Amino acid sequence: MNQGIAEITLIYALPLGISFVTIFATATTCGRNTKFAGAILSTLSIVIDCLFYFVKNTIIVQNVEGGILLSFFLLFLFGILCLVQTEEWSARVQFLLFSFCMLTGCIGTACFERPALVLTSSYSPTELVTHNKKYEDYISSFDNAYNENKEQGKVQVSAQNGDKQFDSDSDEDVELAPEVMDRLDTYADKAESIVDKMFDIMYAVSSFEPMEPNAGEMEREKRSQQALAINNRATTLNRKAIGIFHPLEAREAHTELVQASETIRSATHVLYSYCLLEDPEEARKKYAQAHDLIVIARRHVDKFNKIIQNLKTNNQPQQ
């Protein structure tokens, strides 16, 4: 399944579908008491949906894991509604067990499945740093697997081509087949959406105003939450950049894309660390480091665009 379709399904289609089913079940129920209970549960579902979709990265992180967590909780509410509606004891026991399983899945997803998927308002900045570090370790496992696969791919290509070295100059001299160009165009289109999001995050880091040295605890807490939201976006984008399928001919360009996303993720983490430092000198260094990393990320993005443009230009049909 296409990754974008899967994300849309888990973040939007599944939670909203459960909410509509709950509302429909409330509208078709009989009895004033059950309608009243259904109205309360339906209202609660709508409120939770609004928090998830409109108050992004403040109460809960809006990503695939957040959509799964939301779906578990909405199914829990739906199970309670079914429990209230039914009159048979055997059915009530079944719906009670169903609701318990959904609540267990909700709590398990929130606390254990993804270290960074936390209710941010319940944690102090120091605790959030700990959770964020655990999530970085989780992401690094993807990076290591990606690097191992890349090295194995290089060995296989070297064996098949008589240990011939590949570089950007050789790419420019080889005419790509039409089907390869189609794959390249598909990859370039997907990568373009990632690059656009990269620029949004880089702008957010560059426009992040420095804090006053004597900023109060409330101000520091507010700014750290903003920086954490940016860091979560960068981490999610980094995963997308690593997982995007790329043809062999675009391996060098893809390496630059991954390097750019890695650098942006590092910049946002440094920015978040900056918000937690109380030493003015150390904070100033962290702030400058975050901006320096953004400059490096822009260079990787520029190199990526240049390589993709060269691949397309050198393989266009001659007039």
Side-chain angles (χ1 to χ4, degrees):
M1 179 183 291
N2 183 274
Q3 184 177 0
I5 297 177
E7 290 181 354
I8 293 175
T9 301
L10 293 174
I11 296 177
Y12 296 100
L14 183 60
L16 292 178
I18 297 172
S19 299
F20 283 126
V21 170
T22 303
I23 296 173
F24 180 76
T26 300
T28 56
T29 190
C30 299
R32 185 175 62 179
N33 293 334
T34 53
K35 279 186 176 292
F36 180 73
I40 294 176
L41 294 174
S42 298
T43 303
L44 183 58
S45 299
I46 295 174
V47 171
I48 294 174
D49 286 338
C50 291
L51 290 175
F52 180 70
Y53 293 114
F54 299 110
V55 190
K56 297 180 180 179
N57 296 319
T58 55
I59 295 179
I60 182 175
V61 180
Q62 189 186 43
N63 53 20
V64 171
E65 288 78 19
I68 295 174
L69 174 61
L70 177 62
S71 299
F72 272 127
F73 191 75
L74 293 176
L75 285 173
F76 165 72
L77 296 180
F78 179 73
I80 295 297
L81 175 61
C82 294
L83 176 65
V84 173
Q85 287 181 340
T86 187
E87 296 181 355
E88 298 181 0
W89 282 104
S90 59
R92 287 188 174 183
V93 171
Q94 294 175 7
F95 286 121
L96 180 62
L97 291 175
F98 174 79
S99 300
F100 176 76
C101 292
M102 294 302 101
L103 182 61
T104 303
C106 178
I107 296 175
T109 303
C111 300
F112 304 105
E113 182 64 19
R114 294 292 184 269
L117 188 59
V118 295
L119 301 178
T120 56
S121 59
S122 302
Y123 288 82
S124 66
T126 303
E127 292 172 328
L128 285 172
V129 170
T130 304
H131 282 281
N132 197 60
K133 182 62 173 63
K134 291 180 180 179
Y135 191 61
E136 285 190 346
D137 294 339
Y138 174 77
I139 292 298
S140 66
S141 63
F142 287 90
D143 301 345
N144 295 335
Y146 167 77
N147 291 331
E148 290 177 1
N149 292 334
K150 185 174 68 173
E151 291 299 327
Q152 292 175 0
K154 287 183 177 180
V155 172
Q156 293 175 357
V157 170
S158 177
Q160 294 174 358
N161 294 275
D163 296 328
K164 182 176 68 175
Q165 297 296 324
F166 290 93
D167 52 28
S168 59
D169 294 335
S170 63
D171 288 338
E172 295 176 358
D173 296 333
V174 176
E175 183 176 354
L176 303 181
E179 59 272 15
V180 176
M181 283 300 300
D182 291 339
R183 292 198 298 268
L184 179 63
D185 290 338
T186 301
Y187 168 73
D189 292 339
K190 293 181 179 180
E192 184 179 357
S193 64
I194 293 180
V195 170
D196 290 340
K197 294 178 181 178
M198 284 183 182
F199 279 114
D200 292 338
I201 297 175
M202 287 190 288
Y203 175 77
V205 175
S206 300
S207 60
F208 196 87
E209 296 291 337
M211 293 190 301
E212 296 292 335
N214 56 350
E217 183 177 350
M218 292 296 295
E219 176 66 17
R220 195 175 296 276
E221 177 77 15
K222 177 182 177 182
R223 300 299 299 279
S224 64
Q225 291 286 345
Q226 295 173 354
L228 177 63
I230 299 174
N231 180 246
N232 287 331
R233 289 168 54 194
T235 302
T236 301
L237 188 63
N238 178 240
R239 292 176 60 185
K240 290 182 179 180
I242 293 174
I244 185 175
F245 171 79
H246 64 282
L248 182 63
E249 292 74 16
R251 66 194 178 282
E252 185 179 357
H254 186 69
T255 300
E256 296 297 331
L257 184 69
V258 173
Q259 287 292 334
S261 66
E262 285 283 355
T263 307
I264 292 173
R265 183 173 64 89
S266 299
T268 57
H269 180 66
V270 171
L271 184 67
Y272 178 57
S273 301
Y274 154 76
C275 296
L276 304 179
L277 292 175
E278 297 182 357
D279 186 356
E281 183 63 23
E282 290 295 327
R284 184 186 63 81
K285 292 180 180 179
K286 286 288 186 181
Y287 188 79
Q289 182 183 2
H291 284 71
D292 292 341
L293 288 172
I294 291 299
V295 173
I296 297 174
R298 290 183 186 276
R299 293 173 184 170
H300 285 296
V301 172
D302 291 340
K303 191 172 182 180
F304 164 81
N305 290 329
K306 183 179 180 181
I307 296 173
I308 292 294
Q309 187 62 35
N310 288 338
L311 287 173
K312 290 184 176 181
T313 301
N314 294 330
N315 289 275
Q316 288 180 350
Q318 299 295 327
Q319 299 294 334

